[in-house]
Amino acid sequence: MKLDSVIDRRKLKKQIIFWRTSAVIVMTAFVIFLFGKFDTFRNSEHIAVLNITNIIINNPKRSIILKNVANNDLAKALIVNINSPGGTVVGGEALYLNLRDVAGKKPVVAVISDLATSAGYMVAIAADKIFARQSSITGSIGVIIQTTDITILLDKIGIKPESIKSAPLKAQPNPLEPMNDRTRSATRLVVEDIFNMFIDMVATRRKMDRQMVKKLADGRIYTGRQALKNGLIDAIGGEKEAIHWLAKTKNINKELPLRLLDFNNQQSLLEKILNQFLGKISISDRLGLDGLVSLWQPDLR
């Protein structure tokens, strides 16, 4: 019995080695195949696809990638899929300018998914054509600076903050100091200046009268149906309709493969794993929301 057990163990060990070796060979061949396909794909004509999701902040990696798209003759067009409540004004403006640079060399079309509000809509208007679903939410054209006065709370628990500043408006608004009329007036001037910039961008890109845009830009949101009626988007549809538009009006081959642009590909393996486990919550994006914000109902959970 002992001899039979030894023989069985040896057979089992050989089988395990065989199947492990076979698995390694198959996986290696598969990886080589994928890399071969990837290289062929990279060096063939295609339609680039950029996904803008969650909160928008300034992203230098994304800017570099879009610059490469603009200069890449193999990228025949760019589709921008947007599903974002907005973000920082600087982030939205930077992305808008990047997309306009691309649009100077090839067609750019935006597709609004569930949401493209505030800075998300600022990104959309950089495109030559904007599609949205009937039930998509867009609009919320505006800018906001928020602060909180916690001085009464601090006083109740016996804490008295004190600041030595070079001028009264330094570091204002400040939650550690009550907002006075001078601070409120200066802050409002900043908000109004950037708001006027946003209004001008919409009026220029949508070819609309500035006063009409101002009426629409009272902070409210619009469904895709309402946005189409008000001239904030061009058509109802999604990615399929966007490709059809590119083929019909820009003579882009609708059979070209779609290439997704990954501007987060510099993440370490640990970061990628953590992102998977944490539901792709980007902590740095949340902490980056400083200064002027163009945002509608952020999900900060």
Side-chain angles (χ1 to χ4, degrees), residues 6-184:
V6 171
I7 293 173
D8 289 341
R9 287 175 184 171
R10 286 180 178 177
K11 286 182 179 180
L12 180 61
K13 186 175 182 181
K14 287 181 180 179
Q15 289 177 347
I16 292 174
I17 292 174
F18 171 78
W19 286 113
R20 283 179 176 173
T21 304
S22 299
V24 171
I25 292 172
V26 170
M27 287 300 297
T28 302
F30 182 65
V31 170
I32 292 173
F33 171 76
L34 281 182
F35 272 100
K37 293 283 285 184
F38 182 69
D39 288 339
T40 301
F41 181 60
R42 287 181 64 90
N43 294 300
S44 62
E45 292 185 349
H46 59 272
I47 297 173
V49 177
L50 177 68
N51 290 339
I52 301 299
T53 59
N54 301 322
I55 293 175
I56 299 169
I57 61 172
N58 194 22
N59 188 318
K61 294 177 186 176
R62 183 178 60 210
S63 299
I64 293 171
I65 287 176
L66 287 174
K67 183 178 180 180
N68 292 337
V69 170
N71 297 324
N72 184 359
D73 292 335
L74 295 176
K76 296 303 179 182
L78 174 64
I79 296 175
V80 186
N81 292 316
I82 308 172
N83 189 13
S84 169
T88 66
V89 176
V90 169
E93 181 189 3
L95 183 48
Y96 169 90
L97 293 173
N98 291 154
L99 293 175
R100 289 309 304 149
D101 287 342
V102 176
K105 298 184 177 181
K106 59 200 64 183
V108 176
V109 55
V111 177
I112 297 174
S113 179
D114 298 272
L115 189 66
T117 50
S118 301
Y121 181 68
M122 183 184 291
V123 171
I125 61 175
D128 303 312
K129 188 86 169 180
I130 305 176
F131 288 88
R133 296 297 182 187
Q134 295 186 69
S135 55
S136 297
I137 297 298
T138 188
S140 187
I141 300 169
V143 184
I144 184 173
I145 290 181
Q146 290 181 314
T147 186
T148 303
D149 182 357
I150 63 171
T151 55
I152 296 177
L153 174 62
L154 294 179
D155 185 59
K156 287 183 177 180
I157 60 178
I159 297 176
K160 184 179 180 180
E162 187 172 344
S163 301
I164 299 175
K165 302 189 293 185
S166 58
L169 293 177
K170 177 65 178 174
Q172 292 292 334
N174 184 344
L176 301 181
E177 299 178 42
M179 183 179 286
N180 55 42
D181 290 341
R182 187 179 180 189
T183 297
R184 189 173 288 103

